Amino acid sequence: MLRGGTPFWFQSVSLAVFADHLARLVQSDVQPKPGLIYLSGLLHNFGYLLLSHLFPAQFSTLSRYIEANPHLSYTLVEQQVLRLTREQVGAWLLENWSLPEPVCVAVRRQNEPGYTGKFAEYPQLISVASRILRELGYCDGPVEPVSASDLVRVGLTPELKEMAVEAFLNSQEQLQELTRLFAHSEAE
């Protein structure tokens, strides 16, 4: 399934792998667990799939609006068209599946940079990772540069960010293989 111009599973796997790279470099007392941050990245956009299945007619309209307004956050467009967001729907499902609370919080709060509640380090890191990947062209959505203060908030520096970007870019072969496996299992 495509969103914008980037395949769905490619975005999910890219964010999972990159967020994991970042999590391993975080220098803070409150450090997200790499396995949970990886799962958060992988499932960060799962609500998008749910929206397509739960609201097929509205999803078609939603897709056209998102396509016509690439400069707008898809969250704003979803609120306008559906009165809910993929993050809300995804988090509801993950909570019902009894996934770990940090993963549910990361999915639900990933587009709330000011969130400071329980497990805030998870959505904050997912948000930073997603914004960096948009800058690199690996995720769809408006490009919103990551500032030095954004990095400091999650326990990173510009140098650590660059190390994570380099590690991510060097893992492209494995990334393509993981994406192929996900897309193959979806086709079955």
Side-chain angles (χ1 to χ4, degrees):
M1 173 182 287
L2 283 177
R3 244 188 74 224
T6 311
F8 176 86
W9 284 116
F10 183 73
Q11 288 188 62
S12 295
V13 170
S14 294
L15 187 56
V17 168
F18 186 61
D20 186 70
H21 285 309
L22 287 174
R24 293 173 189 281
L25 296 172
V26 166
Q27 297 176 341
S28 169
D29 294 338
V30 183
Q31 217 171 355
K33 293 181 181 171
L36 291 180
I37 203 73
Y38 183 93
L39 185 58
S40 299
L42 192 61
L43 299 175
H44 84 283
N45 205 20
F46 203 70
Y48 184 75
L49 292 178
L50 291 173
L51 290 175
S52 72
H53 291 290
L54 295 173
F55 308 106
Q58 295 88 344
F59 186 76
S60 176
T61 302
L62 175 66
S63 296
R64 286 194 306 275
Y65 274 86
I66 289 173
E67 229 175 85
N69 297 288
H71 59 288
L72 293 177
S73 162
Y74 58 77
T75 303
L76 293 173
V77 178
E78 290 169 358
Q79 280 287 0
Q80 184 66 34
V81 175
L82 301 174
R83 304 284 187 243
L84 55 86
T85 67
R86 64 185 75 187
E87 291 83 13
Q88 291 170 313
V89 173
W92 290 332
L93 178 67
L94 300 179
E95 288 163 2
N96 281 312
W97 283 350
S98 299
L99 263 68
E101 190 177 359
V103 174
C104 298
V105 170
V107 170
R108 174 66 184 95
R109 306 286 182 181
Q110 65 184 294
N111 289 314
E112 299 175 31
Y115 177 73
T116 57
K118 190 174 180 185
F119 302 116
E121 64 275 14
Y122 288 86
Q124 288 175 358
L125 190 63
I126 291 296
S127 174
V128 165
S130 177
R131 289 169 34 214
I132 292 169
L133 289 181
R134 279 188 240 139
E135 286 183 81
L136 295 172
Y138 284 83
C139 285
D140 292 336
V143 174
E144 304 164 41
V146 174
S147 69
S149 62
D150 293 330
L151 294 173
V152 168
R153 186 179 321 116
V154 297
L156 295 169
T157 63
E159 295 78 21
L160 291 171
K161 169 197 161 195
E162 290 308 316
M163 285 175 58
V165 167
E166 185 177 334
F168 173 76
L169 293 175
N170 288 333
S171 68
Q172 292 307 294
E173 198 171 301
Q174 296 92 338
L175 184 67
Q176 292 294 338
E177 180 61 20
L178 271 173
T179 302
R180 190 183 63 70
L181 291 171
F182 275 102
H184 178 71
S185 67
E186 181 181 41
E188 292 179 348

